[in-house]
Amino acid sequence: MRALESPPALLDLARSIRAGDTTAEAATERCLAAIGERDGSINAFITVTADAARDAARTADRELASGRDRGPLHGVPMSIKDILDIAGLPTTAASRVRRNHVAARDAIVVARLRDAGAVFVGKTNLHEFALGTTNEESAYGPVHHPLDPTRSPGGSSGGSAASILAGMAFASMGTDTGGSVRIPAAACGLVGLKPVFRDVPTQGVVPLSTSLDHVGPLCATVADAAAIYRVIADAPGFAASPQPGDPRELRLGVPRRYFLDLLDDDVARAFDETCARLAAAGVRLDDVTIPHAAEIGAVYLHVALTEAAAFHSRTLETQPDDYTPTVRARLEAGRYVLAEDYIRALRGRDVLRRDVMAALEGHDALLLPALAVPATPLGAATMRVSGVDEPVRNVTLRLTQLFNLTGHAAITVPCGTTGGGLPIGAQLAAPSTAGLLAVAATLEPWIRGQAVTSPRLT
Amino acid sequence: MTPDHWLESARTDAARRGLPDLQASLEGLARAARLLRAADWNGDASGGSGLDAGAPAPAR
C-alpha cells in the first residue's frame, strides 16, 4: 500500500503561479503526466481532455501575463465528475444508457468554473448514475483507491477523489445525494463540501433524486473549498477565505446515539482523538440527540429511490439491459414504493429537519464522523462493524444522508488514519454554508491534528 | 396494504416481469416501510394527528 501524502492545495498552486515559480501549463502537464502514468490502474477518468486542457492552460498563462487575473482558480487543473455537462463532451453518468449523449452547453457550475479560469483535465468515473457508494457498478469499470488498489475510493464521486489523491487534478467537482462528495473525500483524505440545498445550481447535472441532489467540491483544504464555493454558488458577498477565528468561542454538538453506535474501531479511535484535540483547544463539546435518527435510513430510501425511479422510468422500459444489474434493481424497486409510504417519508423528513435544528440550537455546528468505516474492499457486499455484518451501502451512507434530507451544509475534513494508513474523516454540519466554512477553517488544524500550511489567497 | 402484503405483491409482479434481482431491494424497502409506519410522526384517523413538524422536538 502507498503512504498517504496530503495532496497539494489549489491555493498553493495559485500563489506559485502568481509568484512565477510555475505556470498553469506546467501544472496541467504534471496532471496529464500523472493521468498517463497512473490512471491505467486507478481508472479515475472516463474522458481525458488533454488538448483542451493544454489550450486552456496556455490561455490562462497569457491572460495572467497580460494582467488579467480571474481569481484563485485561474489556471488550476480540475477534474469534473462525469455527471455534469461540459459542452461538446459526452455526459455518460458512467452508464451505457447515455452512450449517445453529447452536452450542448456547460452545466451552470462548469460555466462558472470556466469563467473563473479553471482548466478541465477530464471527466471522472463514478457509480452508475451516482446511485451507489463504491463505483463498482460503472459501465467503465470500477475506480481503484490510489493508496490500495484492492479498495474503493468511496463514491459515488470516486473518480473525482482518486484524481486528486493521485495528483491528476488539484480539485474536482462532485455531486452529493446521500454523501457522494463526503464519502469519497473521507476515504481519500480530502476535504469534501456539500453546501446548503440550492446554494449551488444543479442545471446541467444529471439528476439522481431532485430533492436530495447537491453539487460540491472535493479538494485539499477548507480554504480551497471556500475558494471554489465562492465561484460556483449563488452567494454574493461570500468571502473566499473565511478567516480562522478563536476555537475557544466555538461550541459544537456531538450526536452520539446512533451516529457513534456503529463505527470501525480505528474510526472510533480517530474521532475520540479529534474530540480530545478540539476540547484541549478550548472548543466546547456538548452531547446532543437526533431523536428520530433510527428512521433516517427508511426515510432516505423512500425519498431517494422514488425520485430516482421517476427520472428513469422510460429508460428502464426501453433500455433495461444498458443498466448495470444492481443499479437497475434499485431503480426498479423504487417503482414499487406506495404513495402513502412516500408521504410518510416526506413527513419524516420534516421531523428530521426539526430534530437537526433543535440539536444545533446554541451550537455553531454538529460534529460527527463522516464515514463509519475506512475505504471498503472492492467486491465486499457486507462489512463487519461493531460485531455486526452490515451491507456496505448502508454503512457508508449512515452518517451523511441525514444532511441531504435536511438540506444543511456539511463538510468532511481529514482527522487521522487507520493503523494501516487509510484516511479517516470527521464531519461538521451547520445551517449555512458560509457559517460552516468559517467554523471548519477555524477548527481544521485541530481536526487534522497538524498545521494547515496552505496559504489563504484572497 | 400492509408491508407484508406489499412485499408479496411486489415480488410476484417482479417475477412476472422477469426481474428476480429485485428481491433484496424489495425486502429492504419492506423493512424501511415497517419502520416508517411505526414512527411517532404518523397520524391516525381514529385519534391523534401525529407529530407537528413545526412544534418543538419531543424528548424520546
Side-chain angles (χ1 to χ4, degrees), chain A residues 287-312:
Chain A
D287 287 358
V288 295
T289 58
I290 304 296
H292 297 86
E295 284 92 14
I296 293 169
V299 171
Y300 179 81
L301 194 63
H302 276 79
V303 175
L305 288 190
T306 307
E307 292 181 355
F311 179 67
H312 285 273

Side-chain angles (χ1 to χ4, degrees), chain B residues 5-24:
Chain B
H5 289 144
W6 170 84
L7 179 58
E8 186 183 337
S9 167
R11 274 179 174 155
T12 303
D13 188 68
R16 179 188 64 76
R17 297 175 59 216
L19 299 168
D21 291 348
L22 259 63
Q23 297 300 329

Side-chain angles (χ1 to χ4, degrees), chain B:
Chain B
M1 185 183 285
T2 67
D4 288 341
H5 289 144
W6 170 84
L7 179 58
E8 186 183 337
S9 167
R11 274 179 174 155
T12 303
D13 188 68
R16 179 188 64 76
R17 297 175 59 216
L19 299 168
D21 291 348
L22 259 63
Q23 297 300 329
S25 295
L26 292 175
E27 285 164 12
L29 269 171
R31 282 193 296 276
R34 289 186 198 103
L35 265 176
L36 286 182
R37 292 181 185 209
D40 64 2
W41 62 72
N42 291 299
D44 177 346
S46 71
S49 57
L51 278 183
D52 177 358
R60 239 171 86 162

Side-chain angles (χ1 to χ4, degrees), chain A residues 4-90:
Chain A
L4 176 64
E5 291 175 25
S6 292
L10 76 83
L11 292 182
D12 284 337
L13 174 63
R15 184 187 61 166
S16 296
I17 290 173
R18 282 155 187 80
D21 297 334
T22 190
T23 61
E25 184 176 10
T28 300
E29 288 298 344
R30 283 200 302 276
C31 290
L32 293 173
I35 293 171
E37 288 164 16
R38 298 195 63 192
D39 205 40
S41 58
I42 294 173
N43 200 28
F45 283 86
I46 290 174
T47 303
V48 178
T49 52
D51 290 343
R54 289 187 174 106
D55 287 347
R58 290 186 195 115
T59 299
D61 285 330
R62 277 197 302 272
E63 286 183 347
L64 283 169
S66 68
R68 182 174 186 192
D69 189 336
R70 295 172 182 253
L73 303 191
H74 193 148
V76 171
M78 291 183 68
S79 62
I80 303 290
K81 184 180 185 178
D82 198 11
I83 200 166
L84 292 93
D85 286 344
I86 294 182
L89 295 179

Side-chain angles (χ1 to χ4, degrees), chain A residues 208-405:
Chain A
L208 174 53
S209 304
T210 48
S211 78
L212 300 170
D213 291 341
H214 297 67
V215 178
L218 300 93
C219 45
T221 67
V222 173
D224 284 0
I228 297 171
Y229 175 72
R230 184 185 194 187
V231 167
I232 63 173
D234 294 322
F238 170 74
S241 296
Q243 295 305 306
D246 184 344
R248 292 169 299 182
E249 295 174 0
L250 293 178
R251 188 170 170 174
L252 304 179
V254 181
R256 293 188 176 275
R257 197 177 71 194
Y258 175 85
F259 297 93
L260 305 188
D261 290 348
L262 200 65
L263 293 182
D264 171 88
D265 289 346
D266 279 327
V267 174
R269 172 193 49 77
F271 185 71
D272 285 346
E273 290 171 0
T274 301
C275 289
R277 287 193 297 273
L278 291 169
V283 179
R284 181 166 171 184
L285 302 174
D286 302 319
D287 287 358
V288 295
T289 58
I290 304 296
H292 297 86
E295 284 92 14
I296 293 169
V299 171
Y300 179 81
L301 194 63
H302 276 79
V303 175
L305 288 190
T306 307
E307 292 181 355
F311 179 67
H312 285 273
S313 61
R314 189 183 68 79
T315 42
L316 285 169
E317 297 294 338
T318 58
Q319 299 174 250
D321 296 331
D322 286 339
Y323 289 91
T324 59
T326 306
V327 168
R328 180 187 174 194
R330 283 186 198 133
L331 292 168
E332 283 285 0
R335 304 177 82 186
Y336 286 94
V337 170
L338 292 177
E340 63 173 276
D341 288 326
Y342 179 69
I343 296 299
R344 287 187 182 95
L346 293 183
R347 190 163 172 83
R349 182 179 191 168
D350 287 339
V351 170
L352 285 166
R353 190 178 292 122
R354 187 191 59 183
D355 282 358
V356 172
M357 287 162 58
L360 278 165
E361 211 165 291
H363 297 102
D364 297 286
L366 300 182
L367 172 69
L368 63 161
L371 182 57
V373 293
T376 57
L378 289 168
T382 62
M383 286 196 76
R384 192 157 189 81
V385 189
S386 303
V388 181
D389 285 323
E390 283 285 318
V392 165
R393 178 175 165 79
N394 292 1
V395 79
T396 48
L397 286 169
R398 183 177 172 87
L399 305 178
T400 50
Q401 59 194 349
L402 171 62
F403 304 115
N404 295 82
L405 287 169

